[in-house]
Every structure is written in C-alpha cells, then in structure tokens.
Amino acid sequence: MLLTPAMLAAIDQAVDIAAEAFQVLAEREWPLTFYDIHENGRRWEEKPLGNEQDIDQQAKAWLKIKMPGTLVKLIVDSRTVALPDSFCTKALYMEFASVPAPLHGLTLALPYKHTTKGTGLITGMVQVRRYLETSYFLLDEILPAFATRLRQRCTKHWLRPLEYDRKVRPSQIKFESESEPVNARCPSITALTETTQNSNDIASRYLDALMERYCFEDGIAWQKALYQLQLDFSVSSLLRIDYLLTELQPTLQLSETEFLARTANMNFLYCVAMYCGKVIAKGAATQVDWYTHTQFSQRFPAQSNFPASPATSLIGVFNARGGEMGQVFFPVQALLQRLFGKGSARQLLDTFKAWGQAAQGHRARQINDEMPLIQKKINALPAHQRDFLAIQRITWFEGKYFDQWFQQNHKLFQGGRLVWGCIVQAHNDLFTDDKADRLAEIIFDPQGVLSPQQLNAVASKIMSYKGCRPYDARLRFLADVITDEGACILGVKMPYRLSSDDLCTSALVLTRKHLPGGRLFSSYLPILIHDDVPGIATALPGYFWTAAIARECAAYGWPAQQAA
C-alpha cells in the first residue's frame, strides 16, 4: 500500500501547522507545562507556570495558529518528556484526527530543546509515538514524507539546527552484528501504481520482500516454496526457479483465467519475473527497467503494438538509455507459457539465455572502460610525485573504525576499478573555495552499471530519511548516519527496498588537490574502488581524467580538465 494523494495532502497541511507551531516555540522558552490545541479551541491541561503576563502572551501566540477543520490536534509538552535515547527534553506532539484511515490516530513526536545560540531552538528527529494497526506498515513511508516536507517548509527553525539527537553515535559494526528481522509489507501492483508509482521502485520492494521474507499486501502464492529455493541472484538459481515451475505445473487445478484472477498468484508471477530479470541483468552487467503496460505505452508509444493482457502487464527493458528503448522482454508471458502452455524447461532456459545475450549486446559504455589508460598514467607518475596520491588524516576527525580508510586508500591506485559515485551528503565547505579537506558520504554501484542520475535517485531516497526514526532497522541506521553527519561507514549495502542493484554507501575524505578547481562542482564524480579493500573508495584525481571522462564530467558541471 502506498501513500495516496489524499494522505499526502493531509501530511502537507499537518506540516504547515507544525511549521507555525515551531515559530511560536522559537520566540522564547514559554513557561508552559502542557497545552492542548485542537479545532474547537485551546485549553490548558495543567495550569502553566509563570506570571499572568507571560501566560497571556503565550495564549495569544498560540491563537495565531490556523487549525483547518479536524485535521490534527497539537499537544505541546515542555515538561521533561519521556523521549528514549534523546537529548531533547521537550516535544511537540501531532495527533491526526479526521484524515484518511491509515493516518487516523497516528501521533508524531517532534522533539526539541531551547538554546542560547542560533535560532534559540534545536530540533531532534521526528518519531512515531502512537499508531493504529492499519498504519503500521506505512510508518516508514509517512515519516520521510513528513520530515522532508517539514525541512522544506520550516528551514529556519528545523533544517539548519537539525541535530542527531540520540545519545550514542551510529556504529556500522554494531548495526551489522545485530541484524533484526524486517517487519514490513510489500505493496502490490495495483491500479494506483499503473501510472503514479515508478515500477522500478515496486520491483525493489518485491525483491526486498522475497529476500528478507516479509509479507505481501495481498499475499503471495507458494511463498514457502520460494523461500526453500535459497535464492541468491546467481545464474544457477534460475535452474531452481525452473525446478519449482516444473513441480507446480501438474498440481495446478485452475484454468489460466482462474489462476490470473487471484492477486496472490499475480504477486507470485511478478516476483519470479522480477527476480529472473534481475539475475539476467546482473549476469550480463546491464541495467533492467520495469514498466506496466500503461507506463510502457506512455514511454514508448511507437513500440506499443501489443494489447494489454496479464502476460504483458509487466514489461522489462534492458539498457533503456534516454529516449532509446533498449531490449524488451516479457517475463510474465514466459512464465505463463511454462505453467499453462507447452513450454518445456529447456525452452524457458533457452529464453533466459537469449535475453542475457541480447542484454549484453545492448550494454552501455561503462566508465571503467577508461581504466587501462588511467592505470598507465598512474604507473608513469615519477617517484618524487607519489605524494600527490596520499591523503593526510583529518586532525579533527575521531573514530578508529575510519583508520582503515586512511591506511588502505592507496591500494585503490593499483588494480582498482572505476565507477561513478554520487554525493549523498557532503560538508558545505567542499562547495566553496575553502582550503580544508572534508568528509563526504557517497553512494556507488560496485558493478559500475548504474548511471550518475540513477545513483542520484537512490541518494534522494536516503536523504528523505534524514531527521526521522524509521521502524525498519536498516532504514533507521541510514537515517542515523545521514543525520549524524560524521559517522564512519565503509561499504554499507543498500537494502533492496531502496534499490535492487546491490549499491553501497561509504564515507570518504575529499582532498582539494584531487578535485578539479579545488572544490566540488557537482554531486557526480568518478571514484576508485578495489575488490581487495571492499567499502574503501576515493575520488579519481582530476589529473588522471581521460578525454571521455572529462567531457562527461563537464556535462555534469565540472570545469574543463586537461585529459590524461
């Protein structure tokens, strides 16, 4: 289930109210203890502390807040509230009332504390304090939607002073050693997703649910049998998929029409189709994009010469670039032919093989194709200039976990691979002519398949969780890291929920001498990685850029660079 337009509209209104409330809270540290604001008026739950003049001024300030209808109720609590693992001592509570059902009864806590510096208000991380069972599986959709809008709407009192408010900094070692089962729900492909939702995002959720073993919104047929296959995205796992289809075929007591009428069966077909498409794409080192029939017709109208049917309800395209279509394939059609037609195991596997060969034939140029030329120039660097490659440790930086980055990043210059990196978050000084080296967090595809723009789409998803506390432990850790702004992470794997492309995120130091122009001009940059030191990444110095890399980087905003 996804956030509907009506739900997003309610969140927008709630954000407007919260922004006004924080403007009141930032005026001064009001001497109140508990204050309840709703559409029928305002009332004190407890008599506020302070003199009558202060109380009167405070009441007038709150009366300025516009409360449309019965949307939400505000509860301002400036006692020492019970916010676990937070330095914030106060909170603004927002309880959703007459809103779409999944939001009804939801209460968000917006922690804050007063300070004598800056705006006078430091805000913590948005968290859920109460919810109904109907909204549980949407919490990790609601939180980023609310937090992102609040930062945009209330920049003065929310974005700038935003703080990581936990009492302990995020630790990659602790996170990876204390894995938690994922308690989520995968949305089904419905009429809503036909046009409003990117099908690549839905595919990521299907594959995440398959690998993490959580439920589907409308169920999935033969779930236990799928789990028993021990799917791992290897090419050999396609044989196990075919074995399952072989075992299922004689047990089907339904006609194809009756089979397709059940949502759980369609979820099975979509899940297996997406898995097979992803395995083939990985084996061919290519990218696969997914479309519903409606979406495909809108994107490629000239090639939409086939009718809409269950067999064409999910369409895969290998290596679609810009307006070019790439190699089209119909995985649901192939699976139905295997289950209800006369297709044999050999025919299905031959189909998979043909798709893989076609995908390789349409493989886009990868930036690593330039690595032989770059390696030659690195090897030709005179001994007295080798210090150019070294990056000095930042004196102010703390954290022994990151020591390995400083100790091993030099290995990237011998036998490393070149891929695109996308800045998720970087120190503001890196975008200025300041002289200091600074920390940044990047996202990259170790296989080098995804383009910078595709990486940026995932980076935006990560940033949407900044300033909130999701329920999914994987998202919660990413939210903590991006909010803390100084955590040491090296090669943290992205959950398939955000991308099914095996992406990683790492921290690195960007040194001015390696950046053309001495600073960041773009969020996209070529980076070096190495299989011997997984998770370690560094920016390819501009001195080694080839003509092809220089041209592509210039298109992304980097200054012209003399090619290697």
Side-chain angles (χ1 to χ4, degrees):
M1 187 175 185
L2 306 171
L3 298 184
T4 64
M7 293 163 64
L8 291 173
I11 290 174
D12 283 332
Q13 286 187 294
V15 165
D16 288 340
I17 295 169
E20 290 189 53
F22 270 103
Q23 291 177 10
V24 174
L25 294 172
E27 289 181 18
R28 56 181 293 193
E29 189 165 4
W30 296 106
L32 62 82
T33 53
F34 199 78
Y35 193 42
D36 187 354
I37 313 168
H38 53 94
E39 73 282 359
N40 296 323
R42 284 76 172 160
R43 69 176 184 272
W44 301 110
E45 294 290 346
E46 297 180 7
K47 185 176 180 181
L49 304 176
N51 60 49
E52 293 299 326
Q53 184 177 1
D54 285 336
I55 295 173
D56 184 59
Q57 290 178 353
Q58 185 177 180
K60 289 180 179 179
W62 286 115
L63 285 170
K64 296 178 183 177
I65 297 179
K66 299 176 181 178
M67 302 291 292
T70 58
L71 178 68
V72 296
K73 180 171 69 174
L74 289 180
I75 303 173
V76 185
D77 194 340
S78 61
R79 301 168 294 185
T80 302
V81 293
L83 293 172
D85 187 25
S86 173
F87 64 72
C88 292
T89 57
K90 304 175 182 181
L92 171 69
Y93 292 89
M94 300 198 69
E95 180 183 338
F96 288 80
S98 297
V99 289
L103 289 176
H104 183 75
L106 176 69
T107 301
L108 300 179
L110 285 61
Y112 69 95
K113 66 178 291 188
H114 284 90
T115 177
T116 57
K117 299 179 181 179
T119 62
L121 195 69
I122 295 178
T123 52
M125 302 167 76
V126 180
Q127 54 187 280
V128 174
R129 299 299 289 166
R130 189 176 65 183
Y131 60 87
L132 300 180
E133 189 62 29
T134 53
S135 64
Y136 177 78
F137 293 107
L138 281 174
L139 296 181
D140 286 343
E141 308 286 344
I142 296 169
L143 279 169
F146 185 91
T148 300
R149 286 163 169 75
L150 187 58
R151 290 197 304 272
Q152 296 170 347
R153 174 68 173 79
C154 196
T155 56
K156 181 178 180 181
H157 300 305
W158 191 266
L159 178 61
R160 294 178 185 172
L162 181 68
E163 293 284 346
Y164 174 73
D165 66 357
R166 292 188 188 274
K167 297 176 181 177
V168 179
R169 300 191 77 175
S171 164
Q172 182 176 349
I173 295 176
K174 186 174 185 295
F175 165 68
E176 292 178 341
S177 64
E178 298 178 355
S179 60
E180 299 179 15
V182 178
N183 188 10
R185 179 184 290 165
C186 177
S188 297
I189 293 181
T190 64
L192 174 67
T193 61
E194 271 288 303
T195 54
T196 62
Q197 183 75 9
N198 187 323
S199 289
N200 288 334
D201 293 340
I202 294 293
S204 295
R205 292 296 296 274
Y206 268 73
L207 294 177
D208 190 46
L210 175 64
M211 304 310 291
E212 297 295 337
R213 302 190 175 187
Y214 59 81
C215 67
F216 285 74
E217 184 176 357
D218 297 300
I220 180 170
W222 301 295
Q223 184 176 50
K224 185 177 180 180
L226 280 173
Y227 293 162
Q228 291 174 340
L229 296 180
Q230 298 295 314
L231 299 177
D232 56 3
F233 290 102
S234 64
V235 174
S236 62
S237 69
L238 295 179
L239 294 173
R240 301 197 289 276
I241 290 288
D242 183 69
Y243 172 79
L244 174 61
L245 298 177
T246 301
E247 292 294 305
L248 290 178
Q249 189 178 36
T251 67
L252 296 175
Q253 302 298 319
L254 302 173
S255 67
E256 182 174 343
T257 301
E258 292 172 325
F259 178 88
L260 295 172
R262 300 181 181 181
T263 305
N265 293 338
M266 291 303 299
N267 280 340
F268 171 82
L269 289 175
Y270 290 144
C271 193
V272 173
M274 292 167 178
Y275 177 83
C276 293
K278 181 56 68 174
V279 170
I280 294 169
K282 287 178 183 288
T286 59
Q287 171 67 16
V288 59
D289 291 301
W290 298 102
Y291 302 89
T292 62
H293 185 275
T294 301
Q295 292 168 341
F296 186 88
S297 300
Q298 293 174 346
R299 179 72 185 275
F300 307 109
Q303 289 77 27
S304 301
N305 54 359
F306 47 87
S309 69
T312 61
S313 59
L314 181 69
I315 304 166
V317 180
F318 292 119
N319 297 315
R321 298 187 293 272
E324 299 180 15
M325 184 173 64
Q327 181 66 33
V328 181
F329 65 106
F330 301 90
V332 175
Q333 185 180 61
L335 295 176
L336 288 173
Q337 180 68 19
R338 181 72 178 88
L339 288 172
F340 295 97
K342 297 180 180 180
S344 66
R346 172 50 55 191
Q347 288 174 328
L348 180 63
L349 294 176
D350 285 346
T351 298
F352 289 160
K353 183 178 179 180
W355 288 346
Q357 292 173 341
Q360 283 184 320
H362 285 78
R363 186 178 78 88
R365 170 192 168 274
Q366 296 181 357
I367 192 174
N368 193 53
D369 296 343
E370 302 293 312
M371 197 59 203
L373 292 175
I374 294 169
Q375 191 66 66
K376 285 183 179 180
K377 183 146 190 180
I378 293 175
N379 295 341
L381 198 65
H384 68 278
Q385 294 182 11
R386 288 278 165 178
D387 286 346
F388 170 71
L389 300 179
I391 300 176
Q392 298 298 316
R393 183 180 176 88
I394 298 177
T395 56
W396 54 263
F397 191 79
E398 299 179 1
K400 293 183 179 180
Y401 185 71
F402 204 62
D403 284 345
Q404 55 185 310
W405 188 90
F406 289 100
Q407 295 165 0
Q408 301 190 56
N409 73 78
H410 67 280
K411 297 180 180 179
L412 303 175
F413 294 97
Q414 290 299 322
R417 290 185 289 113
L418 192 64
V419 299
W420 282 109
C422 176
I423 300 290
V424 178
Q425 181 169 263
H427 196 289
N428 289 334
D429 287 352
L430 284 171
F431 294 92
T432 70
D433 293 326
D434 188 79
K435 296 182 179 181
D437 297 342
R438 297 294 187 185
L439 200 67
E441 182 183 340
I442 61 167
I443 188 170
F444 61 95
D445 175 10
Q447 303 305 313
V449 174
L450 264 63
S451 68
Q453 295 87 344
Q454 291 169 321
L455 293 172
N456 187 60
V458 182
S460 297
K461 293 179 186 177
I462 298 173
M463 281 298 293
S464 71
Y465 289 97
K466 182 170 184 174
C468 63
R469 294 192 180 187
Y471 271 67
D472 186 326
R474 304 167 302 169
L475 302 178
R476 187 163 63 243
F477 177 73
L478 291 175
D480 287 351
V481 168
I482 204 70
T483 308
D484 179 67
E485 298 185 350
C488 312
I489 56 169
L490 298 172
V492 174
K493 293 183 178 180
M494 290 292 97
Y496 284 149
R497 174 172 179 153
L498 298 182
S499 172
S500 58
D501 291 292
D502 293 318
L503 306 185
C504 293
T505 180
S506 289
L508 77 167
V509 174
L510 293 178
T511 183
R512 303 280 177 171
K513 63 182 179 181
H514 290 174
L515 300 176
R519 67 180 183 88
L520 282 177
F521 286 86
S522 169
S523 294
Y524 309 146
L525 69 167
I527 64 168
L528 288 169
I529 59 174
H530 201 300
D531 291 338
D532 290 345
V533 284
I536 308 292
T538 194
L540 175 69
Y543 177 75
F544 301 119
W545 289 8
T546 63
I549 292 175
R551 284 194 301 270
E552 196 161 357
C553 287
Y556 296 141
W558 288 96
Q561 185 73 7
Q562 184 176 0

